[in-house]
Amino acid sequence: MQTLTITRPDDFHLHVRDGAALKSVVPFSARQMGRALVMPNLKPPVATVAQALDYKRQIEAAIPAGSRFTPLMSLYLTDNTSRDTVRQAKAAGIAAFKLYPAGATTNSDSGVSDLFKLLPVLEEIAAQDMRFLVHGEVTDPAIDIFDREAVFIERVLQPVMRELPELKTVFEHITTAEAAALVSAAGDNLAATVTPQHLMFNRNHLLVGGVRPHFYCLPIIKRESHRRALIDAVTGAQSHKFFLGTDSAPHPRGAKENACGCAGMFSAANAIEIYAQIFENAGALDKLEAFASHNGARFYGLPRNSDTITLVKQPQRVPESFAFGESEVVPMLAGEELAWSLQG
């Protein structure tokens, strides 16, 4: 039987919601991951240090006994975020600030309306050696949804990088060849997370044969040429710039399967096995450990996890659903077979 032992991975982009739903999903990440950077787009958003620390306590209470899993916290960047907020966040051990352009994705109504007005705040983030996380899409209704990431690069990200080259920025859940090329060519202060869905699927999976709501996420899945560019990025010469961030985003089944289904794919239950299958299919299983366990820790200035996990080449069938508070959540690849299983 084929086995693969790697340093325990980290998930540098995770949604766990709150309340009973949080208690349902946190154990999945705790089983696989050493750390996870938790996103702050709750209602209301996690925009203050006090809110972040309270949220961290909720997450810690849901971690199974014996697990060494550590949640890393982020704050929601708003038009009212101040330099003092940044300094307080640094002192409290918060890792990052997250940019949601207003209206770009789930619970982003409180997001930033004009990032350039917040340049002094970004200067402070850089000065405090914190990380700036960007949901990289413009929200201009005149821009096609499939082009919003590429336009964001031109209109927002590149100008900010020119103004603040010292700002350590993570281009989150990249989906396009343009984003992969930018990160690969940029200096060491720009990196990117890449999700399993954007490495595995193209927009045919979402649209061919009818709209399939459980493949709907934001940023939206793109053309096959973009998927291939992402595979090349995470396995190629500049692969150290890219790391694991699932963007696992659970929603109740009913919120996905309706006339206006919400965006997000839940991958946390089998995340590392899915990534293993992706890297194996690309002929690059030897690159998985760096992507999952080394590159993100290095970019965040963290030590690598001290323990390991073992994957076994043993097929498993992904359940059709999991409990999610008082509802259920449909996972990525529901009902399908995975080639790898996490041992133990």
Side-chain angles (χ1 to χ4, degrees):
M1 180 181 295
Q2 185 179 349
T3 63
L4 176 66
T5 297
I6 63 171
T7 305
R8 184 174 294 277
D10 297 310
D11 186 347
F12 281 101
H13 189 121
L14 180 67
H15 299 268
V16 296
R17 311 307 182 202
D18 55 7
L22 178 152
K23 295 176 183 178
S24 298
V25 298
V26 165
F28 291 118
S29 294
R31 178 171 178 256
Q32 303 173 53
M33 306 294 172
R35 296 166 291 218
L37 185 60
V38 180
M39 295 297 107
N41 58 330
L42 301 182
K43 284 187 174 181
V46 181
T48 69
V49 170
Q51 289 171 325
L53 296 180
D54 180 67
Y55 191 27
K56 184 177 184 180
R57 285 189 288 270
Q58 291 183 50
I59 297 166
E60 289 172 338
I63 297 171
S67 172
R68 298 167 63 185
F69 177 71
T70 301
L72 306 174
M73 307 310 293
S74 60
L75 286 189
Y76 193 115
L77 191 69
T78 76
D79 289 341
N80 297 316
T81 303
S82 67
R83 282 180 176 267
D84 191 51
T85 304
V86 176
R87 289 189 286 266
Q88 292 174 16
K90 177 67 174 183
I94 291 166
F97 280 80
K98 177 66 184 285
L99 168 69
Y100 291 101
T105 188
T106 303
N107 297 345
S108 62
D109 294 344
S110 300
V112 171
S113 57
D114 183 351
L115 183 61
F116 296 98
K117 292 182 179 179
L118 290 176
L119 286 178
V121 175
L122 301 187
E123 289 176 354
E124 191 64 35
I125 293 172
Q128 295 295 332
D129 194 28
M130 299 180 73
R131 304 301 179 263
F132 176 51
L133 318 180
V134 297
H135 180 113
E137 294 185 289
V138 297
T139 56
D140 182 345
I143 304 300
D144 188 285
I145 192 170
F146 290 99
D147 297 328
R148 291 181 176 183
E149 184 172 281
V151 173
F152 178 88
I153 292 170
E154 179 183 350
R155 291 186 182 179
V156 181
L157 187 53
Q158 287 180 315
V160 168
M161 290 171 59
R162 286 193 292 269
E163 287 283 337
L164 295 168
E166 70 279 13
L167 181 64
K168 293 179 180 175
T169 301
V170 182
F171 198 168
E172 298 279 23
H173 44 48
I174 63 169
T175 67
T176 60
E178 291 89 344
L182 174 71
V183 174
S184 295
D188 288 341
N189 279 352
L190 180 66
T193 55
V194 194
T195 75
Q197 61 263 31
H198 293 110
L199 289 168
M200 184 170 274
F201 303 131
N202 63 45
R203 63 189 188 180
N204 284 355
H205 293 88
L206 171 65
L207 298 170
V208 170
V211 177
R212 302 170 70 188
H214 294 289
F215 285 82
Y216 175 51
C217 58
L218 290 173
I220 200 164
I221 295 168
K222 306 297 196 299
R223 291 180 180 270
E224 174 65 7
S225 58
H226 292 294
R227 187 194 72 82
R228 289 182 179 276
L230 296 182
I231 291 289
D232 290 344
V234 302
T235 61
Q238 297 298 311
S239 60
H240 65 283
K241 303 290 294 295
F242 302 90
F243 47 87
L244 189 157
T246 61
D247 193 19
S248 180
H251 293 280
R253 180 193 287 271
K256 294 285 290 181
E257 299 175 1
N258 63 35
C260 188
C262 53
M265 296 181 70
F266 175 60
S267 59
N270 299 102
I272 194 60
E273 298 102 315
I274 296 172
Y275 278 114
Q277 187 158 314
I278 291 166
F279 276 74
E280 183 178 42
N281 291 345
L285 198 56
D286 60 315
K287 300 289 184 70
L288 175 64
E289 183 175 34
F291 173 83
S293 312
H294 299 171
N295 298 346
R298 180 176 59 248
F299 191 79
Y300 276 84
L302 298 170
R304 295 176 184 176
N305 292 311
S306 58
D307 61 336
T308 61
I309 62 167
T310 297
L311 293 160
V312 181
K313 192 69 176 292
Q314 179 175 310
Q316 61 164 309
R317 188 163 300 278
V318 179
E320 296 287 349
S321 66
F322 292 98
F324 186 56
E326 297 179 357
S327 181
E328 60 180 354
V329 59
V330 176
M332 180 176 169
L333 299 174
E336 298 188 32
E337 188 174 277
L338 285 172
W340 291 88
S341 297
L342 181 62
Q343 191 175 72

